[in-house]
Amino acid sequence: MADIVDTAIATPGFSTLVAAVKAAGLVETLKGKGPFTVFAPTDAAFAKLPAGTVEGLLKDIPTLKNILTYHVVSGVQKPTRNGRTYTTVNGKEINVKVTVDTTESFIWGGQTNPAKVTNLGIAVDNGSIVVIDEVLLPYPGDEPPVHN
C-alpha cells in the first residue's frame, strides 16, 4: 500500500486535488504518519466550482490551505452513521447525513449542496481516502450551519 498522496497521484480523477495539495504545501503532512481520513473531491467535483475558482485558489494559498484542511480529519473514519460530526484539521465541523434506507452517505459543510460519498474508503498506509462528489467549503464564523 501507499500513503494518501501517492495513492491520490496513482488514482485517476484526483489530479486537481493533487495539484492543490502540492500548491498548498501539504504533501509532507499528508505523507505523515497519521492516521488521517481525507474526504477527497474528484476532478469532476472541482469542475462544479464557478469558472476560475480553482485557478484563483491555486494563487491564494491561505484560502486554499483552509479549504483543503477542511477535507481532513484525524483517524480512519467511515461516514456511515447519520448525525455523526467530525472536527476537521482546520478546526471546523462537517456533518454526516445518511439516507433513510442507509444506502447513501452525504457530507455537509458550509457549501450549499451536500457532498455525496461515492467510495467509503480507499485504504492507505496512513489512513483512508473517502471519495466525494463536491468540494467541501468551510462555513463562515464559528457556528456550523444547520442542514436538514
Side-chain angles (χ1 to χ4, degrees):
M1 254 191 301
D3 61 44
I4 290 168
V5 175
D6 292 339
T7 300
I9 290 169
T11 304
F14 290 126
S15 60
T16 307
L17 178 62
V18 170
V21 166
K22 288 178 179 178
L26 294 173
V27 170
E28 290 308 311
T29 301
L30 294 177
K31 287 175 101 27
K33 183 177 177 182
F36 304 109
T37 297
V38 174
F39 292 92
T42 60
D43 292 340
F46 280 101
K48 292 179 185 179
L49 295 172
T53 300
V54 172
E55 295 77 11
L57 287 170
L58 292 172
K59 295 175 186 171
D60 181 356
I61 301 307
T63 300
L64 177 63
K65 190 176 275 192
N66 184 47
I67 290 171
L68 291 176
T69 58
Y70 191 59
H71 289 78
V72 181
V73 298
S74 293
V76 176
Q77 311 295 340
K78 289 203 182 257
T80 56
R81 195 174 87 213
N82 195 43
R84 172 71 196 235
T85 298
Y86 298 109
T87 300
T88 65
V89 171
N90 87 352
K92 292 187 182 263
E93 296 177 347
I94 55 175
N95 298 295
V96 177
K97 299 288 183 189
V98 179
T99 57
V100 173
D101 62 2
T102 68
T103 58
E104 295 182 320
S105 293
F106 295 88
I107 309 298
W108 281 99
Q111 75 279 5
T112 303
N113 298 314
K116 181 179 179 180
V117 174
T118 60
N119 184 328
L120 270 175
I122 300 169
V124 296
D125 285 340
N126 60 345
S128 178
I129 297 173
V130 174
V131 183
I132 57 176
D133 72 347
E134 296 279 341
V135 176
L136 302 175
L137 298 175
Y139 47 87
D142 296 328
E143 291 297 317
V146 175
H147 299 287
N148 296 319

